[in-house]
Amino acid sequence: MDSRRTPRSVIDPKVRQVGFFAPPDRTNSGQPDPISSSSSSPSPPAANISPSGNSLSPVMIPPPRHSSDSRPVPFVPHPASPLRRESIPAGSSYNPSDFYPPATSPTAASPSSFACRMPVGGYGEFSEDVVALSPGRAFRGSSVRASASSSFPGGGFDLTALKASSVPASELTTVSVFNLPPGIAEKAGGAFVEMQNDRHVSSKAAKEKTTKAERRALQEAQRAAKAAAKAEGNKIPGTGSSAVTSVNVKPAKGVKAALQKNDSVSVAASEKKVADRPVEKDRKKDVPQPRMQYDDRSRVEKAKRRAVVYQTEARNRVELFRHLPQYEHGTQLPDLESKFFQLDPVHPAVYKVGLQYLSGNISGGNARCIAMLRAFQEAIKDYSTPPEKNLGRDLTAKLSSYVSFLIECRPLSISMGNAIRFLKGRIAKLPLTLSESEAKALLQSDISRFISEKIILADKVIVKHAVTKIRDGDVLLTYGSSSAVEMILLHAHELGKQFRVVIVDSRPKLEGQLLLRRLVGKGLNCTYAHINAVSYIMHEVSRVFLGASSVLCNGTVYSRVGTACVAMVAHAFRVPVLVCCEAYKFHERVQLDSICANELGDPDAISKVPGREDINSLKHLASSEKLQLLNLIYDATPSDYISMIITDYGMVPPTSVPVIVREYRREHLWI
Amino acid sequence: MMDFQVVVLAGGTSKNLVPLVSQEVPKALLPVANRPVLSYVLELLELNNLKDLIVVVEGEDAALRVGGWISGAYVDRLHVEVAAVPEDVGTAGAIRAIAHHLTANDILVVSGDIVSDVPPGAVAAAHRRHGAVVTAMLCSTPVSGPLESGSSSGKDKTKKAGRYNLIGLDPTKQFLLYIATGAELEKDIRIQKSILRAAGQMEIRADLMDAHLYAFKRSVLLEVLDQKETFHSLRRDVLPYLVRSQLRSEVLLNGVPQPEENGNEKIGTQYNQIMQSQILANASKPSFHQLYALGPNNGPDLVRRTHKCCVYIANNNYCARLNSIQAFSDINRDVIGEARNLFGYSFSAQNNIIHPSAELGLKTTVGPYCMLGEGSQMGDKCSVKRSVIGRHCRIGSNVKVVNSVVMNHVTIGDGCSIQGSVICSNVQLQERVVLKDCQVGASFVVTAGSECKGEALAKKEK
């Protein structure tokens, strides 16, 4: 951590209230070294909050491997050596065959089995059929009219019954044709010409390049000579040695230093510079792009011009959240719907998912991620590389356009961002020797694998771990509706454990009701309460299970709004809080509050109660300038309130999240 | 094109429009503001980037004419295929006839007589979003009858009163729970208890009109047409059938989000598939169909099969169907009147369209919301109000045309007065004819001095 940064206790108190922050006396847990602080200092909350009755003892369990599921839960600590990391992708220790029948295991699926699947378009056949019927189609322009009309009485309207139905099948007659794009029609001839053009261009470019390099060399030589003369004239001691080391000198140090740096690099280490450049580029890629700030007028205008979806921004926005996008609800969907056929570049499957995000038909991190990945799978299946383009680059560009479309429908969740990064990484790593169909098959199976290993199997492992923490007689509290928590509860019930569930819910989404419905349907004992009653109901609770949208590097849990409140109340009542989150949702970002990154929902959702005219007293105030409605979607729970995070690598204290992110990042990206 | 195929049902010679349509002029080519009515649909589709169309026409002669016109007007713009089906097979029969040409997942069926600016994409998107079996477009019933003449509008209102549709919607106004058209409406209506109970609430509306723009799931549509051979019309048979049976679906596809589409997910084991669909299903807000399918208490073993019938309600758009003579005059009036901004006409400062080659005599006035076609000539002291006059008409002096439609090549003698009438092509009106609320069929000659009121004049069928 940067030493210059003010410690948390000095943060402006107004901001801290909104961000759900810990009182200043426990800020010492924000130290940089998570492992040593959790084992040596007594400050971590997990150690001191757990009452003696149900101590959870967040032992430092090193992340287990999937294959070790059959083994008992406590693991031998395993030093994370680079050797081991190497062995993971090789498939010796990380063996997914526990979960797959060997025949269909991903390693066994050789690309050749997909090679025979050729995309045969049904429509293609159809149109050929039509060509046979109407001779006019092959021509273009004015000749079409003549031939089409002349072919009319002769060829068309053959009413012979093709099908034995009550109505004779009728033939189609093409009466009007619009031009095919010239690129397709003239491809045969055009390719040769373009190739020649290419050669011309490339030779020209090469020529120009050499002159440029020459010019550059000349310039540098001149500059070096000048600098040398100057140095000699001024007689600055030690110019030669300092020139080499002053590469890192900041430009603020003065013109002279900059000059020295400049020529020292160019003269002494021009080769090194070439080697440095890709590194620099990589570094640039690593730095996350600055998030769009929606209170920056000019940028918003620019983004709007690019946007596919027409969005009207909401007028009354809460001051603190101006930087987040918020749109007039109900303006996006009709517009997007009416453009259905104009959005040609967006694949129908992606479009459908986007509509579902926008209308709220799909919500929840895992579901959104799965829906998106499946849509991408469909899109890849239907994808064909345009002529003279590279599959890797073109597909990446295409995916990016899909992603920006999805972002316009609803901001991405962190889990989706990770999944997209994974997919793009896979595309970038495709071997060049693969044919198009093989590459597509490989990508599709990669996506399937991501879904099954990172989401489905991860959930299975989480359930396995979490069930060990449920004992007979427990009262478990959960908030909202988390898919992982639901699976845990159902599995524990299947195992015959006797426990009771308290479902805490909140307006306006009332997701808990759906969970309640399913749990009661399965025969679990449930209590349903709203979040207002959480302080009352917490008396009887013995454990709190929470889901998460993401877990950030400082242990902050980013989740459905209200989670922080539940966690804090539980902490005050000394009830252990267990967060269930798949490791693919972990992110290396550090976030201290829920202001800088969040999502704003439809403000009308909190001001109106559908179907209850009697309590809709805000109805006439909606357009008032003085009223600002805030419907936050997420909040950030500081790690102090979390006893343990249950993830597919085991049960870890929140301070160990960076370890998982660091050690398994590579594996995350290249399964 | 988003995996949609478009079928335009252009009909044949409709009986409702009898003096207006004839062998030479099928319904699809009836001029609305001097443009065939079919062009409004085709241009709406073109605007929405739907350029591969199948146009189905009843009768071979009609198909020839429609095809000839399309090939002339839309070369290089649309890829249109025309199919001729026998007359009187109905809309369902027409789809049956071209069934083997339908390949896309979803089919957009548009009636050829709609004059509207509702984006068809909106219907398609609503259809996709819900994964519906059928999505119908509803729009508010247009106000009928000419504005000025009170007597005829009153008469039409009474005629219309018995003909409205009843449409039942769920509280979110997204699903269709009940539909009945005037013909089958008796004293009381029968609503299924199961649907009412599942949806909780039903809103029954009589002010909505079925605009004859449907999105169908192809497999379901073809299956229904295949099984129910007696079904004659999409609107009267197929749609009510699908709505009726939505909670006890007999069609193959239902709420399950099409597992067969992901054919090559063989890597994913059965377990993975189940978990995935479960996560997806749990995350979405269930519609009443899904809640009903799960049932209140019954376990997962008893799953009821359902399908969804959706609606798209066009609120602020113009939408009308040319299915009666009254509708014909209404649409002609609206297209150059109220809805004039929607169809790309450019109006003069006087709010009318007069072709530059038209000739007007002395003291002749053409009022606002009028259209005068190419090469038409008018004598002196004429007055035209709220009317459409076609191409190459010759109109004498002292003629009054109010609230009427005059098609092409019509000759009108001196001193005629035409009010609320439709005069087809090649008609000859001799001097001092007075017509009120009349329809004159093609090539008819009205003798001098005759006065008609509310009559349909046409040549006798040979």
Side-chain angles (χ1 to χ4, degrees), chain A residues 402-462:
Chain A
Y402 294 161
V403 169
S404 58
F405 168 75
L406 291 181
I407 291 177
E408 278 170 44
C409 294
R410 192 181 159 185
L412 294 185
S413 67
I414 289 173
S415 58
M416 289 159 75
N418 282 343
I420 291 165
R421 249 162 71 179
F422 157 79
L423 185 57
K424 285 195 174 166
R426 293 303 299 182
I427 295 173
K429 289 278 161 173
L430 277 179
L432 285 173
T433 51
L434 281 185
S435 74
E436 186 183 313
S437 56
E438 282 171 337
K440 276 161 64 181
L442 193 66
L443 287 178
Q444 288 179 53
S445 73
D446 277 338
I447 294 176
S448 299
R449 217 135 56 89
F450 186 89
I451 294 177
S452 63
E453 288 184 13
K454 294 290 166 200
I455 303 176
I456 310 284
L457 280 187
D459 276 338
K460 208 176 165 186
V461 176
I462 288 174

Side-chain angles (χ1 to χ4, degrees), chain B residues 37-117:
Chain B
V37 62
L38 188 59
S39 69
Y40 290 88
V41 170
L42 296 185
E43 261 154 52
L44 178 68
L45 294 172
E46 188 189 13
L47 197 69
N48 282 279
N49 208 11
L50 290 164
K51 297 188 172 167
D52 274 306
L53 315 174
I54 300 176
V55 176
V56 186
V57 187
E58 279 185 2
E60 283 185 56
D61 285 347
L64 263 181
R65 287 177 199 282
V66 172
W69 170 71
I70 293 174
S71 68
Y74 291 97
V75 168
D76 282 0
R77 284 167 67 186
L78 295 173
H79 179 219
V80 179
E81 285 149 56
V82 173
V85 296
E87 290 182 40
D88 298 325
V89 291
T91 45
I95 300 289
R96 272 190 204 114
I98 58 157
H100 58 286
H101 292 293
L102 301 177
T103 49
N105 260 337
D106 296 281
I107 312 287
L108 204 62
V109 180
V110 191
S111 173
D113 57 3
I114 300 180
V115 177
S116 168
D117 65 330

Side-chain angles (χ1 to χ4, degrees), chain A residues 491-535:
Chain A
H491 187 66
H493 181 69
E494 276 167 26
L495 291 181
K497 301 205 175 186
Q498 298 298 314
F499 61 95
R500 201 155 64 83
V501 181
V502 179
I503 296 176
V504 176
D505 205 356
S506 71
R507 286 210 63 238
K509 283 197 139 186
L510 297 177
E511 293 157 314
Q513 291 191 352
L514 299 173
L515 176 68
L516 181 72
R517 191 190 168 88
R518 293 193 290 267
L519 291 186
V520 171
K522 288 272 164 63
L524 274 78
N525 255 334
C526 294
T527 307
Y528 181 72
H530 273 206
I531 197 164
N532 334 19
V534 71
S535 61

Side-chain angles (χ1 to χ4, degrees), chain B residues 24-254:
Chain B
E24 289 79 43
V25 185
K27 180 181 173 184
L29 298 184
L30 269 184
V32 169
N34 291 337
R35 241 168 73 185
V37 62
L38 188 59
S39 69
Y40 290 88
V41 170
L42 296 185
E43 261 154 52
L44 178 68
L45 294 172
E46 188 189 13
L47 197 69
N48 282 279
N49 208 11
L50 290 164
K51 297 188 172 167
D52 274 306
L53 315 174
I54 300 176
V55 176
V56 186
V57 187
E58 279 185 2
E60 283 185 56
D61 285 347
L64 263 181
R65 287 177 199 282
V66 172
W69 170 71
I70 293 174
S71 68
Y74 291 97
V75 168
D76 282 0
R77 284 167 67 186
L78 295 173
H79 179 219
V80 179
E81 285 149 56
V82 173
V85 296
E87 290 182 40
D88 298 325
V89 291
T91 45
I95 300 289
R96 272 190 204 114
I98 58 157
H100 58 286
H101 292 293
L102 301 177
T103 49
N105 260 337
D106 296 281
I107 312 287
L108 204 62
V109 180
V110 191
S111 173
D113 57 3
I114 300 180
V115 177
S116 168
D117 65 330
V118 181
V123 180
H127 182 71
R128 268 291 153 75
R129 184 155 59 86
H130 292 290
V133 157
V134 60
T135 303
M137 182 174 101
L138 304 178
C139 54
S140 46
T141 315
V143 187
S144 159
L147 294 177
E148 275 121 297
S149 59
S151 64
S152 71
S153 78
K155 198 178 75 189
D156 274 300
K157 285 259 168 65
T158 50
K159 206 168 78 188
K160 272 227 140 135
R163 273 188 34 193
Y164 51 68
N165 297 323
L166 282 189
I167 286 163
L169 301 172
D170 80 313
T172 62
K173 295 191 176 62
Q174 289 178 323
F175 298 107
L176 193 56
L177 305 180
Y178 177 77
I179 186 161
T181 43
E184 49 198 88
L185 268 185
E186 289 151 23
K187 251 188 248 163
D188 39 34
I189 59 173
R190 302 162 74 83
I191 290 168
Q192 278 162 304
K193 228 190 260 173
S194 60
I195 293 180
L196 191 56
R197 199 181 290 144
Q201 233 177 339
M202 188 190 295
E203 188 181 324
I204 293 189
R205 309 203 21 185
D207 60 336
L208 291 173
M209 179 185 84
D210 181 358
H212 281 221
L213 197 160
Y214 309 108
F216 282 103
K217 184 156 278 208
R218 177 185 58 103
S219 51
V220 171
L221 175 64
L222 298 188
E223 190 189 320
V224 169
L225 290 178
D226 208 34
Q227 285 174 356
K228 314 275 176 182
E229 297 209 341
T230 53
F231 280 5
H232 189 258
S233 152
L234 290 182
R235 177 174 61 99
R236 282 196 300 274
D237 300 322
V238 177
L239 184 61
Y241 166 76
L242 287 174
V243 170
R244 267 201 317 272
S245 63
Q246 58 183 316
L247 290 186
R248 41 180 176 81
S249 176
E250 291 157 20
V251 292
L252 278 178
L253 280 185
N254 47 14

